[in-house]
Amino acid sequence: MLRNPSAERNRGAILDVLKRELAPCGECSIVLEIASGTGQHVVHFATEFPHVEFQPTEITPKLLESIRSFTESCPTKNIHPPVYVDITRPCESWSRDLFSGNFTGKGIDYIININMIHITPIETTEGLFRNSSKLLRAGGLLITYGPYGENGVITPESNVNFDRMLRSQDPRWGIKDLLALEKLASNFRINLVRQYAMPSNNRCVIWQKV
């Protein structure tokens, strides 16, 4: 089990948002998590939503192993085994093991993506929107978390410095602007419907498929 300190810090705040956004107890829902990282988040969320099915995914082999270790220890047993997913690839090419076939049909209720957008090229976010549009049911939600700019401005100074550090590692990385993301998402029938201010100058952004 790998442990990321930031996941430990932010999982409670993200859970508070999910308690507002996910269907109430008694309504069975399906949640697909893209880029699940170590697996800390999905286990924390699954124990709070025993009526929800969670499907973690990752692209990195060692993280897939960490997720598997976390999910096997989850007492609620409502997490499917992690599956390799490259979000830049069409979802039709992904493993058919996802949800044991339930990820097709009427569509997924929720997709969660935490701390991916700012540490990947814009093509990755485009893949997230494109595949979310295919997989979500009408009215389904995509929930993303991380730092964002707005109207071409990044604030506060700590996020400016963070953005500079990210771009020094890879010029394709960096904090993305919400206005630009809105325009990109609209190409795939996905709209920004609300957002929540989060600790450490992050945001939880709620997108909806129309």
Side-chain angles (χ1 to χ4, degrees):
M1 295 180 183
L2 302 176
R3 296 186 183 275
N4 186 322
S6 67
E8 293 291 330
R9 291 192 299 268
N10 63 36
R11 65 182 189 174
I14 299 173
L15 176 63
D16 289 341
V17 172
L18 297 184
K19 287 179 177 178
R20 297 187 185 189
E21 297 293 340
L22 268 59
C25 184
E27 297 182 30
C28 185
S29 301
I30 296 175
V31 174
L32 171 65
E33 185 180 26
I34 298 296
S36 299
T38 60
Q40 291 162 268
H41 284 124
V42 70
V43 168
H44 187 66
F45 303 154
T47 55
E48 296 288 334
F49 295 98
H51 60 292
V52 174
E53 289 183 70
F54 288 85
Q55 175 63 67
T57 70
E58 248 301 332
I59 193 171
T60 306
K62 72 174 182 178
L63 291 177
L64 283 166
E65 288 303 313
S66 180
I67 297 165
R68 188 170 290 107
S69 295
F70 272 105
T71 57
E72 287 174 353
S73 67
C74 183
T76 51
K77 306 302 180 186
N78 55 331
I79 308 175
H80 293 261
V83 174
Y84 173 91
V85 162
D86 179 349
I87 193 61
T88 66
R89 303 283 298 168
C91 58
E92 293 85 354
S93 69
W94 299 354
S95 170
R96 306 312 292 179
D97 293 334
L98 284 168
F99 299 119
S100 301
N102 292 330
F103 91 120
T104 56
K106 69 175 183 178
I108 294 171
D109 302 300
Y110 306 97
I111 295 176
I112 299 175
N113 180 243
I114 299 170
N115 279 337
M116 181 195 80
I117 291 175
H118 59 287
I119 55 171
T120 53
I122 191 63
E123 292 80 10
T124 306
T125 305
E126 182 176 353
L128 177 66
F129 287 138
R130 179 185 294 108
N131 286 307
S132 293
S133 181
K134 293 178 181 178
L135 293 171
L136 286 170
R137 62 170 174 77
L141 300 181
L142 166 65
I143 301 171
T144 65
Y145 170 90
Y148 297 91
E150 194 157 18
N151 296 319
V153 178
I154 297 174
T155 58
E157 189 64 23
S158 59
N159 274 0
V160 174
N161 293 334
F162 184 42
D163 178 69
R164 187 179 299 117
M165 183 272 291
L166 291 172
R167 294 180 188 279
S168 71
Q169 295 184 53
D170 189 323
R172 301 173 301 166
W173 293 6
I175 295 175
K176 310 298 191 294
D177 188 84
L178 268 181
L179 182 59
L181 293 182
E182 281 190 82
K183 292 178 179 178
L184 178 61
S186 68
N187 295 329
F188 304 103
R189 297 180 297 127
I190 292 178
N191 294 335
L192 193 162
V193 291
R194 55 191 162 272
Q195 54 183 298
Y196 299 87
M198 304 292 279
S200 303
N201 305 306
N202 290 301
R203 303 186 199 185
C204 236
V205 183
I206 313 300
W207 312 81
Q208 187 170 45
K209 178 183 175 180
V210 296

